[in-house]
Amino acid sequence: MFSKKIPEALPEEDTSVWSCISGDCKGWMRTNFVFQEEPVCPLCGSAMAQEIRLLPVLMNSTKNAAFP
Ligand SMILES: [Zn+2]
């Protein structure tokens, strides 16, 4: 029996996000969850810019029925 435990890495995907334009601020939101055309940062109130980040795939979708 080979039962080596392989650490399960979370799958990641390129995800469109809104990112705060303030360099000191870590504020960002997934674009999928933002419904304003020009959102402002919830942390500091600055404008936000869209960018692509590599983020863990969200597992709370009912489409992912294959996952326990
Ligand atoms: Zn901010």
Side-chain angles (χ1 to χ4, degrees):
M1 289 290 281
F2 296 97
S3 56
K4 271 187 199 168
K5 279 198 176 172
I6 301 167
E8 277 189 47
L10 280 173
E12 294 183 328
E13 64 181 357
D14 285 337
T15 308
S16 178
V17 301
W18 285 101
S19 178
C20 180
I21 61 171
S22 170
D24 299 332
C25 181
K26 300 273 193 289
W28 65 273
M29 302 181 283
R30 286 175 189 261
T31 302
N32 286 353
F33 297 153
V34 177
F35 303 103
Q36 299 101 307
E37 285 187 17
E38 293 184 20
V40 294
C41 177
L43 300 182
C44 71
S46 294
M48 304 189 86
Q50 275 194 301
E51 66 179 41
I52 301 295
R53 290 190 184 191
L54 196 60
L55 295 175
V57 177
L58 290 181
M59 292 300 185
N60 61 357
S61 164
T62 53
K63 281 185 294 185
N64 291 327
F67 291 95

